[in-house]
Amino acid sequence: MSCMTSGVIRQKAAHAAFGRRFTTNKWRDLVAEIIIGSALGSQWHWRPEDWVDWDFEHIDGTMLAVRQYAACSDWQQPGSKASRCTFDIAPSAGYWQAGCGIARRHRPAHIYVFAYHPRTDEAADHCDPTQWEFYVVPTAILPPDDEIDLARVRDLSSHFIFAEIDMFIEQFNKAIYRPYC
């Protein structure tokens, strides 16, 4: 019997989850964050923890939240019609600071990146950054609602490809007012 180590288990789990065309919603948020993080400059720090209100933090204190949606998933038939695309933008009920819970309904992120994967054919692969559309929206112009649909996101932002993400996020970062810093 061979000795199983945590490293071997991680390799086997990664291969089982990602060693093929990826169209599952189980880890899609992680994949979208990795794609966006790889496009960001070195001044951004990824926060891959569960239950945080933002996913990246800039060295100047700017916080960026990623929201993702894909038109297809493993449980759908290839080429089937996608459900209505909406993104969660609900303000949080509070946050942690220095070990204390602070009750305050707000959106702590200053910038949102909405990542949309439109492909529904058999070549759809959520791990392919060239198949995604990205929309960069300052939090200040988001509606007060708990969710936003793709049509409204498109009204608020132009569509960017993977290679353009960092440039547009940095433009927004320089232009936004950060009331929480």
Side-chain angles (χ1 to χ4, degrees):
M1 186 160 103
S2 66
C3 180
M4 287 299 275
T5 66
S6 60
V8 170
I9 292 169
R10 283 186 186 90
Q11 282 181 319
K12 288 180 181 261
H15 181 71
F18 302 106
R20 59 182 167 74
R21 182 176 76 93
F22 183 81
T23 57
T24 181
N25 59 354
K26 189 182 296 183
W27 297 103
R28 191 174 54 230
D29 55 343
L30 177 68
V31 169
E33 289 175 21
I34 290 169
I35 289 170
I36 291 166
S38 69
L40 295 174
S42 62
Q43 296 185 327
W44 289 92
H45 169 72
W46 183 30
R47 303 183 63 219
E49 301 94 28
D50 287 335
W51 305 107
V52 294
D53 292 323
W54 63 93
D55 302 297
F56 293 91
E57 191 166 337
H58 194 273
I59 60 170
D60 69 5
T62 303
M63 295 172 275
L64 181 147
V66 175
R67 299 295 183 262
Q68 54 74 32
Y69 181 89
C72 81
S73 192
D74 283 348
W75 50 268
Q76 294 171 299
Q77 293 297 319
S80 67
K81 188 175 188 293
S83 58
R84 182 173 170 258
C85 173
T86 60
F87 301 96
D88 177 17
I89 57 168
S92 67
Y95 59 97
W96 286 95
Q97 183 173 356
C100 276
I102 312 240
R104 178 175 176 206
R105 188 164 164 80
H106 76 297
R107 293 181 181 123
H110 303 101
I111 302 170
Y112 278 71
V113 175
F114 297 97
Y116 174 62
H117 193 282
R119 299 213 29 194
T120 59
D121 61 10
E122 291 189 22
D125 185 351
H126 301 164
C127 288
D128 183 347
T130 66
Q131 293 184 6
W132 288 84
E133 297 174 5
F134 302 95
Y135 302 86
V136 180
V137 180
T139 303
I141 67 170
L142 288 173
D145 308 315
D146 287 348
E147 66 179 32
I148 188 169
D149 67 15
L150 182 61
R152 183 72 176 122
V153 167
R154 286 176 170 161
D155 287 343
L156 297 174
S157 174
S158 296
H159 152 227
F160 305 112
I161 61 172
F162 173 72
E164 301 170 321
I165 297 170
D166 186 45
M167 178 178 61
F168 286 99
I169 289 174
E170 287 305 318
Q171 283 179 349
F172 280 116
N173 191 27
K174 290 176 184 169
I176 62 173
Y177 168 69
R178 290 181 289 282
Y180 306 117
C181 294

